[in-house]
Amino acid sequence: MAEDAAFWEWAAVEVLRHSGIRVEELCELTHLSIRQYQRPNGEVIALLVIAPSKSERERVIPMSAELFHAVAQIVRRQTRSERTIPLVSRYDPHEKIWSEPMPFLLQRQLGTTRGVMAAGTVLNMLTRTCAEIGATNPAFAKFTPHDFRRLFATDIVNGGLPIHIGAALLGHLNLQTTQGYVAVFAEDVVKHYQEFLNHRRSLRPEGEYVDIAPGEWEEFEEHFDKRKVELGNCARPYGSPCQHEHACIRCPMLQVNPKMLPRLTDLEKDLLVRRKRAEAEQWLGEIEGIDLTLTFLRTKQADSARLTRRAPVDLGFPRPRSVEN
């Protein structure tokens, strides 16, 4: 139960903060809300269709990598024992009616009953967690589901996105509403967003756009060659040196290749032998350092093992039916 509650709280927060949708819209998301759109240049964009809610306007939101990841994890969880997401009915407290059976994303099995999470449940989860954090950190602010919508609005507008595009993503009928949040996604919105990106690029000095010299390209490739280490790959940014003196096991930038799990096991055995010797010699500083390294190593072991158990997620995008001759 604790794992289930933790997952759904994480999923709700991630979708809310990366999409800017209302909590009622979150609870109404179904498997049918996930779509893909192919632009004229062949680029495929993952979309999240938001059913009409407060403003009675359907809209579509392009999914960022973070939003896509959260939605993918929800789909993965819902299809663990089924090939498809189960169909359930949802009670609408505003319309006071039950919906037709649909593959709602935020559905849970509670006892013998499978139901769709209510907006009040999401609010209660956040309230409980905020209270737990606030008990040890008095400076922590309380969050409500709508706060993530305001954070999303602030982030996209302060990031330079034209406010009328932000209003379309948020489903606002007028720009003043969107402006108040800042402390029809269609081809037109896609086109305007691309124009916005192109405009931002055009503002950069022309001198920055010069032909790449052979030496520069070799330096670029050399950086990524140097990021390859015994256990996997170093994710440090381009042009940056190693900040951890090549202590890869302790470095958070190390991405361990799951194929190197046996090597991690060997390193763990070696560290345990060293720790036993340090205990016998009473090298307390050495023991402390080895324990810290063991903690990082076991965390990386668990993360890598988890990757080996993950299969690709099929989000169930609609596909054209084959035509039988």
Side-chain angles (χ1 to χ4, degrees), residues 194-204:
Q194 286 300 131
E195 290 177 353
F196 158 72
L197 294 178
N198 293 334
H199 174 67
R200 288 287 295 271
R201 294 189 184 107
S202 68
L203 296 179
R204 300 180 68 87

Side-chain angles (χ1 to χ4, degrees), residues 103-120:
F104 287 99
L105 293 183
L106 268 69
Q107 59 176 276
R108 293 193 299 173
Q109 184 77 30
L110 298 176
T112 59
T113 305
R114 177 172 286 273
V116 182
M117 194 180 302

Side-chain angles (χ1 to χ4, degrees), residues 15 31 72 74 77-78 108-109 114 161 172 216 264 285:
V15 174
H31 203 185
I74 294 174
R77 190 178 188 87
Q78 297 291 18
R108 293 193 299 173
Q109 184 77 30
R114 177 172 286 273
L161 188 69
H172 288 159
E216 292 175 325
L264 288 180

Side-chain angles (χ1 to χ4, degrees), residues 185-218:
F185 188 84
E187 172 60 25
D188 180 61
V189 178
V190 176
K191 183 170 72 70
H192 279 84
Y193 184 66
Q194 286 300 131
E195 290 177 353
F196 158 72
L197 294 178
N198 293 334
H199 174 67
R200 288 287 295 271
R201 294 189 184 107
S202 68
L203 296 179
R204 300 180 68 87
E206 292 185 6
E208 294 185 7
Y209 296 94
V210 297
D211 293 334
I212 301 175
E216 292 175 325
W217 185 253
E218 291 175 2

Side-chain angles (χ1 to χ4, degrees), residues 119-130:
T121 302
V122 178
L123 176 61
N124 291 336
M125 288 192 306
L126 287 176
T127 301
R128 181 182 63 249
T129 299
C130 288

Side-chain angles (χ1 to χ4, degrees), residues 97-156:
I97 58 174
W98 287 89
S99 71
E100 294 293 328
M102 298 179 68
F104 287 99
L105 293 183
L106 268 69
Q107 59 176 276
R108 293 193 299 173
Q109 184 77 30
L110 298 176
T112 59
T113 305
R114 177 172 286 273
V116 182
M117 194 180 302
T121 302
V122 178
L123 176 61
N124 291 336
M125 288 192 306
L126 287 176
T127 301
R128 181 182 63 249
T129 299
C130 288
E132 292 175 355
I133 298 174
T136 56
N137 185 359
F140 182 79
K142 178 182 176 182
F143 282 89
T144 67
H146 207 72
D147 288 328
F148 295 106
R149 181 169 167 83
R150 296 180 182 276
L151 290 170
F152 176 82
T154 302
D155 186 51
I156 60 175

